């Protein structure tokens, strides 16, 4: 990477290339590094687009990691940005191939909307995933029977084949919890999540058993916000916060809607949600009491 020196000279610094990460994250990291290089040289989006025979909006999408990359385009941009040493170009060009590799979730394209595909890719590379839920158990912690009930609720007209495909996708995501580099999943659940017996009492007892098993994992923390708290910090509804080890990737707040999703990355917005999450954790029962609460609710079903 070439950075301008205060005295007008250029000093070289090796590009930051992550050792691991999903293709979604690698595209974002590569795009961020290309943006930094362009801005260091005071080159406009229009000028960069002209070099690769594309519009300025294409450059913007590349820098946000929202499109795939072509090696020729990245090579031409690196030349424009003054990155000419092979030792500096090669790691970034190698990253192109890794960023374009399709993830396992592409096998479920028939039931995976594009707005959620981004989340699955981010989830694969997160080091910490924090969830706040008011209606459903988070997808990574759902039992198969509970997941089927939730999906049937959201897709009442889906065929049995489609329903099973969606269930299989959700179960496949859960392999993440037991991988070599599993993220820490920290879920804060409103008590209503556990009192609402989706799929019936038997399915809900199975879901609580599933949560009890998940609590045995060293990377899973669950807290419950009891009804006795009354109103609390997260009056706006459920959300997730994902944190990554890559220095080029900021925390991301994810909020799912009926047919789309919102991703927040601006520092001030993310900080607001982090503050709410911290307050929720204080208001919730301590994690040490979660097992006791789950067992009590299970007996009452």
């Amino acid at each position: 990477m070439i950075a301008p020196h205060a005295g007008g000279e250029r000093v070289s610094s090796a590009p930051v290339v992550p050792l691991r990460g999903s293709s979604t994250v690698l595209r974002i990291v590569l795009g961020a590094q290309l943006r930094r290089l362009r801005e260091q040289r005071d080159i406009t989006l229009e000028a960069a687009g002209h070099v690769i025979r594309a519009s300025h909006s294409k450059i913007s999408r590349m820098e946000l990691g929202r499109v795939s990359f072509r090696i020729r385009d990245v090579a031409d941009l690196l030349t424009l940005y003054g990155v000419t040493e092979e030792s500096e170009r090669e790691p970034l060009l190698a990253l192109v191939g890794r960023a374009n590799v399709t993830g396992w979730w592409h096998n479920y394209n028939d039931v995976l909307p594009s707005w959620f595909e981004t989340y699955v890719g981010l989830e694969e590379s997160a080091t910490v995933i924090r969830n706040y839920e008011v209606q459903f158990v988070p997808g990574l912690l759902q039992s198969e029977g509970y997941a089927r009930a939730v999906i049937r609720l959201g897709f009442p007209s889906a065929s049995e084949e489609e329903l099973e495909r969606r269930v299989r996708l959700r179960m496949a995501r859960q392999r993440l919890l037991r991988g070599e580099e599993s993220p820490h999943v920290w879920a804060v659940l409103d008590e209503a999540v556990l009192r609402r017996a989706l799929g019936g009492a038997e399915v809900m007892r199975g879901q609580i058993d599933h949560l009890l098993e998940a609590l045995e994992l060293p990377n899973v923390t669950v807290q419950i916000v009891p009804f006795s708290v009354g109103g609390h910090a997260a009056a706006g509804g459920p959300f997730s916060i994902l944190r990554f080890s890559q220095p080029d990737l900021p925390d991301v707040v994810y909020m799912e809607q009926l047919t789309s999703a919102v991703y927040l990355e601006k520092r001030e917005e993310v900080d607001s949600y982090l503050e709410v999450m911290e307050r929720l954790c204080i208001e919730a029962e301590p994690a040490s009491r979660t097992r006791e609460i789950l067992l009590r609710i299970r007996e009452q079903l």
Side-chain angles (χ1 to χ4, degrees):
M1 208 178 288
I2 303 295
H5 188 270
E9 299 174 339
R10 292 182 301 163
V11 293
S12 172
S13 61
V16 179
V17 178
L19 297 176
R20 62 177 291 268
S22 69
S23 54
T24 302
V25 163
L26 295 179
R27 286 197 303 271
I28 295 172
V29 170
L30 178 56
Q33 296 199 40
L34 290 174
R35 180 180 67 250
R36 183 184 301 113
L37 289 167
R38 178 180 61 79
E39 291 175 346
Q40 287 174 351
R41 302 281 294 195
D42 292 323
I43 295 172
T44 65
L45 290 168
E46 289 76 10
H50 178 74
V51 164
I52 65 168
R53 302 153 295 281
S55 65
H56 71 280
S57 61
K58 170 69 177 296
I59 296 294
S60 180
R61 292 195 298 274
M62 288 174 65
E63 292 181 352
L64 290 171
R66 294 178 181 170
V67 294
S68 59
F69 294 85
R70 295 195 305 171
I71 288 184
R72 175 183 173 183
D73 289 344
V74 175
D76 289 346
L77 289 174
L78 291 178
T79 299
L80 175 66
Y81 301 158
V83 183
T84 56
E85 294 293 331
E86 192 62 28
S87 62
E88 296 170 341
R89 292 169 65 90
E90 194 279 330
L92 290 170
L93 292 174
L95 189 54
V96 174
R98 293 167 57 196
N100 287 336
V101 173
T102 57
W104 63 263
W105 53 91
H106 287 272
N107 293 327
Y108 294 90
N109 276 345
D110 56 322
V111 293
L112 184 63
S114 58
W115 51 266
F116 189 62
E117 179 181 335
T118 298
Y119 179 82
V120 175
L122 292 172
E123 183 180 73
E124 282 283 307
S125 297
T127 55
V128 178
I129 301 172
R130 302 182 71 175
N131 307 114
Y132 170 64
E133 289 288 347
V134 296
Q135 185 172 4
F136 304 119
V137 172
L140 286 178
L141 299 176
Q142 291 180 5
S143 69
E144 185 170 331
Y146 181 89
R148 186 172 289 105
V150 171
I151 293 169
R152 193 184 297 279
L153 185 66
F155 300 91
S157 60
S159 66
E160 285 301 313
E161 180 181 0
E162 178 186 341
L163 181 66
E164 288 307 309
R165 288 279 291 163
R166 293 184 182 278
V167 172
R168 294 275 71 76
L169 169 61
R170 191 156 301 182
M171 295 300 102
R173 285 171 52 205
Q174 295 184 10
R175 292 196 296 261
L176 185 67
L177 295 178
R178 293 172 170 81
E180 292 183 2
E181 297 180 296
S182 299
H184 181 191
V185 175
W186 188 347
V188 180
L189 311 181
D190 191 282
E191 185 176 344
V193 172
L194 303 167
R195 296 289 184 182
R196 182 177 289 107
L198 288 173
E202 191 61 34
V203 168
M204 199 63 207
R205 281 192 286 268
Q207 174 58 67
I208 290 178
D209 288 341
H210 190 75
L211 283 173
L212 289 167
E213 292 175 10
L215 291 178
E216 298 294 329
L217 298 174
N219 56 310
V220 173
T221 301
V222 177
Q223 288 183 264
I224 298 168
V225 182
F227 288 144
S228 59
V229 169
H232 49 72
F239 62 93
S240 299
I241 305 175
L242 295 91
R243 175 160 291 176
F244 309 89
S245 60
Q246 291 86 350
D248 280 310
L249 204 58
D251 293 351
V252 174
V253 173
Y254 171 81
M255 291 178 289
E256 191 167 315
Q257 301 174 340
L258 191 60
T259 58
S260 62
V262 174
Y263 294 85
L264 303 178
E265 300 178 25
K266 292 183 179 178
R267 185 71 265 168
E268 60 273 18
E269 293 176 328
V270 173
D271 284 347
S272 294
Y273 279 89
L274 283 169
E275 181 181 345
V276 169
M277 184 65 84
E278 293 303 325
R279 287 165 58 193
L280 279 169
C281 291
I282 294 172
E283 294 169 350
E285 293 289 343
S288 60
R289 291 205 61 216
T290 297
R291 181 173 297 278
E292 169 195 340
I293 296 171
L294 289 174
L295 290 171
R296 184 175 70 247
I297 293 175
R298 189 188 190 287
E299 290 177 0
Q300 296 169 353
L301 286 170

